[in-house]
Amino acid sequence: MVNKPWKIIPRPLLETVLNNHVQRHRVPQPLILHGPRGVGKTTLILNRLLGDWNKGPHIAGYVDFAQSITEHHPDHQQSYPWTSWTSVDPPLLSNCKTHLENCLESMTHKAIKLGTLSSQQIFTTMNKWHGLTTSLRRILQGCKVAVPEKASVSFLWERAVYALSVRRNADEIDLLVGLDEKGGGSLSVEEASYYRETAFALRLAKEVIKMQQGWRGNAIAHMNRTNGFSKTLANSCTDWPLLMIELLSQAAEIGFFQPKLVLNNIEILKSAIQTDDSTVSASMYHDNLVWRIIALGANERCLPVLFVTSDSYYSYQAFVDFGFPDIFISRETFGWTPQEAKLHMVPDYFSASEWTIVADVLGANSRHLFELYALKQSNHYQSVMGNKAGTFEDIVDAYLAYLQVVVVNPAMEKALLRLQRYAADVRKGSIPDEKLRFGAAWRHPPRSDDPTLCSEWAKIQLMDFVQALVNTELAVNYLGDYSLEIFEDPSAMALVEVGILYTQRDPSFFRPISQGIKRCLVRWLIQERMKMNYWSSTKYWWQRIIRGRYYKHLMLGYRT
């Protein structure tokens, strides 16, 4: 078989759905593209769609929050998405905010350059949501500009824009809006002045928002210490990106300027690390940002926003948390079916006999197929086999070993740590009693903080859950019998959080993210049972028989 380079294969139906959404200049709802890791969501966006979304009147802002990780962990860049943010430290919230705001600022400057945004629009939008009088007076005082006591807000705004234009470097503004580029010299003096005024107005809006957020700094710090909630304080932290999204939505015009925004790996924003009290927590920032985008679309129509995620929170629970089953447009993708994958893979990349093995062991996950094909083309597997002639089965075994060591085992260790933290939360009383109701397999964690006991309890809980999942052929229909109590199971949620399990929206199954991961999950269970001593094994079987989980009644409609 001739070695062929891997190619990105079109997905016409999904591409049509996404194109239909983003080709409109304003839409009432954001769209969530979600699915398990490794099915090709990012590849589809970057290699098939994003180029066309930046042609002609279209401009697409693309923010990948995973870049906040790979910039600080270069060794993880190529292995993404298997070695995802669950395997390394989450990024800083400040870095995620910077990436988002820089992208939106760049898009807004392009709107200014095209003349679709004016200083008056910025003032009107700011005046709608913010009290400007005090902020503008403070800025003018800082610029040493005298202001009458009874001046109107619009007068203050005009004076502040002028004062800012005197204080700031005009060449910097010209560079941002592209007035120094070839063709910029063809603008009339009035046009160039108009663009500069709008750019300075945007700078002024940013200063006003920054000043008003500073006024709320102590309140935000107090709220963070007390774990409270305030919609006003949360809004103050997302005012700047939301102002730009609203301005871009107003500036959108069919056939002339059609912006859209793609936020990839949005789940990373929710788990980012907060390093100071200058802003709200990452989860609150994420929820407020998403909610305000929803509100803007529902009330006034918003530029097309596309959330891309591998976190199954967005397949079901997000719709519940934000209050309405159809609050987002949901598009779930599982990649290829085995029949589709065979059509594309045989005979170009795998022979028919090889494909039979691949489909049975790994399934049709495109990331598995790409990595297996790369291993097959290289001689790396020879070192694994001791430089002996290896068969295709040996290559598949080597790849499974790689998944076991690099993906599954580290993820299971992370899950065990989450279960130990759950036990500590139960001792502190921070877990509601209704989640520890009679009959729950996780109801009795250790009462002491002995790390050995906590670790043993966590491992037994996780093994019990995996065994129950194996008994259901590794798929649970959580809506089939309205058995939503599985979402209260700390073992289930731990495996979802580390990216081993995925909660499908339609059909409503709770299962491993791929056939290959499923096999590695079973291997992990067998290895852990083999490593148990007699006393630990006795505790495990007591847990299985007396308190164990049983989900076989939730196998409704499952087909492998």
Side-chain angles (χ1 to χ4, degrees):
M1 184 186 302
V2 179
N3 295 339
K4 296 186 61 175
W6 191 266
K7 65 179 180 179
I8 307 301
I9 298 172
R11 297 183 181 179
L13 181 59
L14 183 57
E15 290 178 20
T16 300
V17 169
L18 299 179
N19 280 323
N20 287 342
H21 180 74
V22 303
Q23 294 300 326
R24 291 179 287 177
H25 67 304
R26 284 189 287 269
V27 295
Q29 294 171 285
L31 184 147
I32 296 183
L33 175 63
H34 54 102
R37 290 190 291 164
V39 298
K41 301 181 294 297
T42 299
T43 300
L44 178 73
I45 296 293
L46 292 180
N47 294 281
R48 292 287 305 169
L49 300 174
L50 200 59
D52 292 335
W53 293 352
N54 279 289
K55 291 181 179 178
H58 300 280
I59 171 174
Y62 179 79
V63 180
D64 188 350
F65 292 111
Q67 291 177 355
S68 303
I69 295 175
T70 55
E71 287 176 358
H72 300 286
H73 299 273
D75 54 319
H76 290 90
Q77 190 159 1
Q78 295 301 322
S79 57
Y80 194 83
W82 296 136
T83 308
S84 68
W85 63 271
T86 58
S87 301
V88 296
D89 294 333
L92 300 180
L93 177 59
S94 58
N95 290 345
C96 294
K97 288 177 58 181
T98 300
H99 285 155
L100 175 61
E101 292 172 2
N102 288 347
C103 174
L104 290 171
E105 287 178 17
S106 175
M107 295 173 67
T108 308
H109 291 146
K110 290 181 181 178
I112 294 174
K113 183 180 178 181
L114 290 172
T116 60
L117 198 58
S118 67
S119 174
Q120 184 61 34
Q121 280 180 281
I122 297 173
F123 166 70
T124 303
T125 306
M126 284 288 292
N127 197 38
K128 180 172 62 173
W129 299 112
H130 302 271
L132 299 178
T133 303
T134 303
S135 304
L136 293 175
R137 286 184 178 275
R138 293 271 183 96
I139 291 173
L140 289 171
Q141 288 174 3
C143 296
K144 298 180 180 181
V145 176
V147 181
E149 289 188 5
K150 296 185 178 180
S152 66
V153 178
S154 59
F155 175 80
L156 293 175
W157 178 267
E158 292 173 0
R159 292 295 298 271
V161 171
Y162 175 76
L164 199 65
S165 66
V166 172
R167 191 179 69 181
R168 292 296 183 93
N169 186 355
D171 293 337
E172 179 187 355
I173 293 297
D174 290 350
L175 179 63
L176 287 174
V177 298
L179 294 180
D180 63 335
E181 296 176 0
K182 185 178 180 180
S186 63
L187 294 175
S188 66
V189 175
E190 291 80 5
E191 288 176 319
S193 177
Y194 176 83
Y195 293 157
R196 290 190 184 100
E197 179 187 0
T198 307
F200 281 119
L202 187 66
R203 281 290 183 90
L204 176 60
K206 185 175 183 179
E207 286 201 14
V208 169
I209 290 174
K210 184 178 180 180
M211 178 180 292
Q212 294 185 352
Q213 185 180 356
W215 293 344
R216 299 182 175 95
N218 291 334
I220 291 173
H222 175 73
M223 183 179 68
N224 289 335
R225 287 194 302 269
T226 59
N227 293 322
F229 172 75
S230 168
K231 181 180 178 181
T232 302
L233 297 181
N235 285 349
S236 71
C237 296
T238 57
D239 277 338
W240 178 233
L242 259 295
L243 172 68
M244 290 186 284
I245 290 175
E246 186 169 355
L247 291 173
L248 288 168
S249 301
Q250 294 173 6
E253 184 179 338
I254 295 178
F256 185 67
F257 179 67
Q258 294 184 232
K260 61 266 308 163
L261 180 63
V262 181
L263 301 180
N264 196 4
N265 296 296
I266 184 67
E267 72 278 3
I268 294 178
L269 180 62
K270 189 174 184 179
S271 304
I273 298 174
Q274 181 186 12
T275 55
D276 54 46
D277 288 326
S278 63
T279 185
V280 296
S281 65
S283 60
M284 191 180 298
Y285 183 92
H286 163 276
D287 293 347
N288 187 264
L289 177 69
V290 173
W291 180 254
R292 295 183 72 182
I293 291 174
I294 293 171
L296 178 62
N299 295 328
E300 302 179 19
R301 299 297 175 96
C302 176
L303 60 86
V305 178
L306 178 62
F307 300 118
V308 184
T309 178
S310 299
D311 189 344
S312 56
Y313 166 80
Y314 300 87
S315 68
Y316 174 77
Q317 191 60 39
F319 293 80
V320 176
D321 290 349
F322 285 97
F324 188 64
D326 298 316
I327 201 163
F328 305 102
I329 300 174
S330 172
R331 290 295 176 264
E332 191 168 35
T333 177
F334 302 107
W336 294 317
T337 65
Q339 293 78 12
E340 291 172 337
K342 182 177 181 180
L343 182 66
H344 295 305
M345 295 291 106
V346 178
D348 291 343
Y349 301 102
F350 301 101
S351 66
S353 59
E354 290 174 343
W355 177 253
T356 302
I357 299 172
V358 172
D360 180 59
V361 176
L362 298 175
N365 184 286
S366 57
R367 173 63 61 166
H368 286 329
L369 299 179
F370 167 72
E371 292 180 341
L372 182 65
Y373 181 69
L375 183 62
K376 176 186 172 185
Q377 297 302 103
S378 71
N379 293 323
H380 176 70
Y381 73 93
Q382 295 287 357
S383 62
V384 178
M385 299 303 298
N387 294 323
K388 298 178 181 178
T391 64
F392 184 73
E393 289 84 351
D394 296 329
I395 300 175
V396 174
D397 284 341
Y399 180 66
L400 277 176
Y402 157 78
L403 287 179
Q404 189 76 49
V405 173
V406 174
V407 181
V408 174
N409 288 350
M412 300 306 281
E413 292 300 321
K414 292 276 187 179
L416 289 172
L417 292 176
R418 282 166 167 76
L419 285 173
Q420 293 177 47
R421 287 199 295 268
Y422 181 87
D425 290 340
V426 172
R427 288 195 301 273
K428 295 175 184 176
S430 57
I431 303 297
D433 291 340
E434 57 266 22
K435 292 188 176 182
L436 299 170
R437 60 174 62 91
F438 180 80
W442 55 91
R443 188 184 183 196
H444 299 286
R447 296 183 179 180
S448 70
D449 57 357
D450 184 347
T452 302
L453 290 177
C454 292
S455 176
E456 185 180 45
W457 177 84
K459 182 161 290 188
I460 289 175
Q461 287 292 317
L462 197 57
M463 291 174 64
D464 178 43
F465 175 79
V466 174
Q467 182 64 64
L469 204 60
V470 170
N471 292 343
T472 65
E473 299 179 17
L474 291 127
V476 171
N477 191 334
Y478 60 89
L479 287 183
D481 197 26
Y482 297 98
S483 297
L484 299 180
E485 68 271 10
I486 196 171
F487 292 105
E488 298 176 359
D489 190 332
S491 298
M493 292 300 97
L495 291 179
V496 169
E497 289 172 8
V498 299
I500 294 296
L501 296 185
Y502 183 79
T503 307
Q504 297 179 193
R505 178 177 173 87
D506 186 23
S508 56
F509 280 103
F510 194 88
R511 63 174 181 82
I513 60 175
S514 72
Q515 183 81 3
I517 298 297
K518 181 190 300 185
R519 287 182 174 269
C520 292
L521 195 59
V522 175
R523 283 186 176 187
W524 176 87
L525 176 63
I526 294 172
Q527 288 171 356
E528 293 302 321
R529 285 180 56 180
M530 292 175 64
K531 290 191 293 185
M532 278 185 160
N533 58 33
Y534 175 78
W535 180 236
S536 297
S537 181
T538 301
K539 288 183 178 181
Y540 166 73
W541 283 111
W542 189 91
Q543 169 75 23
R544 282 296 302 151
I545 295 169
I546 305 300
R547 293 178 181 164
R549 301 160 172 85
Y550 294 93
Y551 295 133
K552 292 193 73 171
H553 63 293
L554 301 179
M555 295 174 61
L556 306 175
Y558 176 62
R559 295 290 183 272
T560 55

